[in-house]
């Protein structure tokens, strides 16, 4: 249902823009229907290349091309129209798609020059309050010869609603920054909760990660979970360290790759420099703890080292493991190379996982997915490596449980040839 509403929002925004700018050429029901049809196509046009696994049209660089193609086609049917005016009209209609994605689930606005997705999340992708004013005004305006002001009212209503949410989001972020100013905020993410009419936020300081919610007006902030980082535990471990000598490295994960690669190889995760400590207080790190510098190592069955990389280089925070574990392997982007996740504790609701691959040239590389922190997942098999739910050869779905709503939140990621993009 959310996909249908999301699609209708793009259709209504594109059609509404076309109606406002091209109404002078639509003095009959047939001409208005044709204008709205082309506007709706323009509103959907950026999604066309996604059917072929590419984000090319999800870029500001290709909006003029989409507008030109539609204006050219429209002028062949409506020969009395101004081509330049309709080119501008359909460019704006196509641009509304990028704008909605930007304030919704994100858009790679400058692809292919910049792969990064930009977003300012103020609406959910299936926000019915964005759709209703547009759809209602267009439905009536189609039948009324002078319905331009009615459609304009619908567009303005939607714009006022989005503007109010943007103001509320900015006010909430300001309040959170002020509240945690003394803790030195490093990152802050606020977004609409799809399960209710309120905001969700994730805030990171130098010492903790904070997860919570706030009312749409931002005047009631509730903290759901606040977790201290492992740096504090590492400092405690250093202070309490006893003179135990360990000869050589410590292997936390050893994985036989013969069944996967048909080669007598092993992938190991080793602690090469760090601290072993024990914490028996109830909590997520209860038991043995290994912290410090970890390496990913590829060896053959004779122990010869084939490849090595510093695992800490891929993470912003110090690494800590409190158990040995096995890596979970699969091929998530369809290139034939084994991929695997390595996770770190996040909150009581889930963990953050980075996605890695072993290339055909025996090199370890990160497959970018989920931003700098990685993928937030409520894994049931392992805190430190979990299998991902594959949808096809080049996409997967993640899931985490939100205990505040009792619902599972799902996200889909698809391979674009360079990284996994959130859909």
């Amino acid at each position: 249902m959310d996909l249908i509403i999301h699609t209708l929002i793009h259709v209504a925004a594109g059609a509404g823009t076309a109606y406002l700018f091209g109404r002078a050429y639509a003095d009959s029901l047939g001409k208005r229907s044709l204008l709205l049809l082309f506007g709706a196509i323009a509103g959907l046009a950026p999604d066309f290349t996604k059917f072929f696994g590419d984000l090319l049209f999800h870029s500001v660089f290709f909006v003029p091309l989409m507008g030109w193609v539609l204006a050219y086609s429209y002028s062949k049917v409506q020969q009395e129209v101004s081509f330049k005016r309709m080119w501008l009209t359909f460019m704006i209609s196509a641009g509304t798609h990028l704008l909605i994605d930007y304030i919704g689930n994100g858009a790679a606005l400058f692809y292919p020059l910049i792969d990064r997705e930009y977003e300012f999340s103020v609406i959910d992708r299936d926000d019915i309050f964005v759709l209703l004013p547009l759809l209602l005004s267009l439905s009536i305006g189609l039948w009324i010869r002078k319905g331009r002001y009615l459609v304009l009212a619908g567009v303005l209503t939607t714009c006022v609603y989005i503007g109010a949410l943007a103001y509320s989001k900015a006010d909430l972020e300001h309040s959170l920054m002020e509240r945690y100013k003394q803790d030195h905020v490093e990152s802050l993410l606020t977004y609409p909760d799809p399960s209710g009419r309120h905001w969700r936020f994730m805030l990171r300081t130098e010492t903790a990660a904070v997860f919570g919610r706030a009312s749409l007006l931002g005047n009631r902030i509730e903290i759901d979970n606040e977790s201290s980082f492992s740096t504090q535990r590492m400092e405690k471990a250093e202070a309490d360290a006893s003179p135990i000598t360990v000869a050589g490295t410590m292997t936390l994960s050893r994985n036989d790759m013969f069944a996967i690669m048909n080669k007598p190889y092993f992938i190991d995760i080793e602690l090469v420099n760090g601290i072993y400590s024990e914490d028996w207080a109830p909590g997520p790190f209860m038991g043995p703890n290994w912290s410090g510098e970890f390496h990913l190592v590829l060896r053959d069955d004779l122990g010869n080292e084939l490849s090595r990389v510093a695992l800490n280089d891929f993470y912003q925070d110090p690494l800590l493991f409190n158990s040995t574990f096995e890596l979970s392997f699969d091929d998530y982007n369809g290139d034939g190379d084994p991929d695997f996740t390595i996770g770190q504790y996040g909150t009581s609701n889930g963990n953050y996982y980075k996605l890695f691959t072993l290339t055909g040239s025996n090199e370890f590389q990160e497959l970018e997915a989920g931003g700098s922190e990685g993928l937030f997942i409520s894994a049931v098999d392992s805190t430190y490596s979990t299998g991902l739910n594959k949808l096809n050869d080049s996409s997967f779905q993640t899931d985490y449980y939100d205990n505040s709503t009792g619902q599972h939140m799902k996200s889909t990621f698809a391979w674009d040839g360079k990284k996994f993009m959130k859909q």
Side-chain angles (χ1 to χ4, degrees), residues 112-420:
L113 297 182
I114 302 176
D115 288 342
R116 173 189 169 190
E117 282 195 353
Y118 296 85
E119 64 177 317
F120 183 70
S121 300
V122 295
I123 63 171
D124 190 47
R125 68 195 309 266
D126 60 344
D127 194 327
I128 195 68
F129 294 101
V130 175
L131 175 63
L132 284 179
L134 294 173
L135 203 58
L136 181 61
S137 61
L138 283 171
S139 299
I140 301 175
L142 173 64
W143 300 97
I144 300 177
R145 185 173 182 179
K146 296 183 178 181
R148 184 175 184 179
Y149 292 107
L150 180 62
V151 175
L152 179 61
V155 171
L156 289 177
T157 299
T158 296
C159 290
V160 169
Y161 170 69
I162 294 174
L165 290 179
Y167 176 82
S168 174
K169 175 186 174 79
D171 185 59
L172 170 62
E173 292 183 348
H174 175 73
S175 298
L176 290 170
M177 293 293 289
E178 287 296 315
R179 174 181 289 198
Y180 291 94
K181 181 169 59 176
Q182 301 300 322
D183 299 322
H184 303 290
V185 177
E186 295 180 347
S187 64
L188 172 62
L189 175 64
T190 58
Y191 54 95
D193 191 328
S195 63
R197 306 302 300 173
H198 56 265
W199 297 106
R200 303 287 298 181
F201 64 84
M202 294 186 293
L203 180 143
R204 179 188 292 272
T205 69
E206 290 181 341
T207 59
V210 183
F211 298 79
R213 71 182 76 188
S215 63
L216 279 183
L217 297 178
N219 56 359
R220 189 178 72 254
I221 299 175
E222 300 177 9
I223 305 300
D224 293 332
N225 187 284
E226 185 168 348
S227 303
S228 299
F229 288 150
S230 58
T231 48
Q232 294 177 328
R233 295 179 177 270
M234 289 178 61
E235 293 170 356
K236 181 180 182 298
E238 291 173 352
D240 298 339
S242 58
I244 298 176
T245 301
V246 177
T249 61
M250 302 181 70
T251 302
L252 275 295
S253 180
R254 182 164 176 81
N255 305 271
D256 189 341
M257 301 300 293
F258 185 81
I260 299 172
M261 302 176 63
N262 199 29
K263 295 179 181 179
Y265 290 172
F266 292 83
I267 291 180
D268 298 336
I269 297 180
E270 299 177 347
L271 175 63
V272 299
N273 182 23
I275 296 171
Y276 170 80
S277 62
E278 295 182 357
D279 183 354
W280 296 105
F285 298 102
M286 180 178 178
N289 286 266
W290 293 268
S291 57
E293 181 183 351
F294 295 87
H295 284 189
L296 260 176
V297 187
L298 177 68
R299 289 190 174 90
D300 62 21
D301 57 346
L302 299 178
N304 298 312
E305 183 178 308
L306 306 177
S307 181
R308 176 184 292 268
V309 67
L311 187 59
N312 299 64
D313 291 347
F314 299 99
Y315 294 82
Q316 295 179 343
D317 300 311
L319 296 179
L320 183 147
F321 299 96
N322 77 327
S323 69
T324 59
F325 60 98
E326 294 183 355
L327 295 174
S328 180
F329 293 93
D330 209 323
D331 179 13
Y332 297 110
N333 58 0
D335 62 359
D337 295 332
D339 308 326
F340 55 96
T341 58
I342 299 179
Q344 289 285 277
Y345 176 79
T347 72
S348 59
N349 288 343
N351 311 307
Y352 288 99
Y353 293 89
K354 292 276 190 175
L355 183 57
F356 298 90
T357 189
L358 178 64
T359 69
S361 57
N362 292 336
E363 294 182 359
F364 291 108
Q365 295 180 358
E366 180 184 0
L367 298 177
E368 187 176 343
S372 59
E373 292 184 325
L375 303 163
F376 187 68
I377 303 173
S378 296
V380 296
D381 47 357
S382 172
T383 300
Y384 300 119
S385 187
T386 185
L388 303 177
N389 179 23
K390 291 179 63 174
L391 301 179
N392 52 46
D393 289 341
S394 60
S395 67
F396 60 83
Q397 187 178 72
T398 62
D399 178 291
Y400 76 89
Y401 180 73
D402 187 341
N403 58 11
S404 65
T405 62
Q407 295 182 346
H408 286 265
M409 305 301 175
K410 301 181 184 295
S411 298
T412 300
F413 295 83
W415 183 250
D416 70 351
K418 295 181 179 179
K419 65 179 180 178
F420 283 98

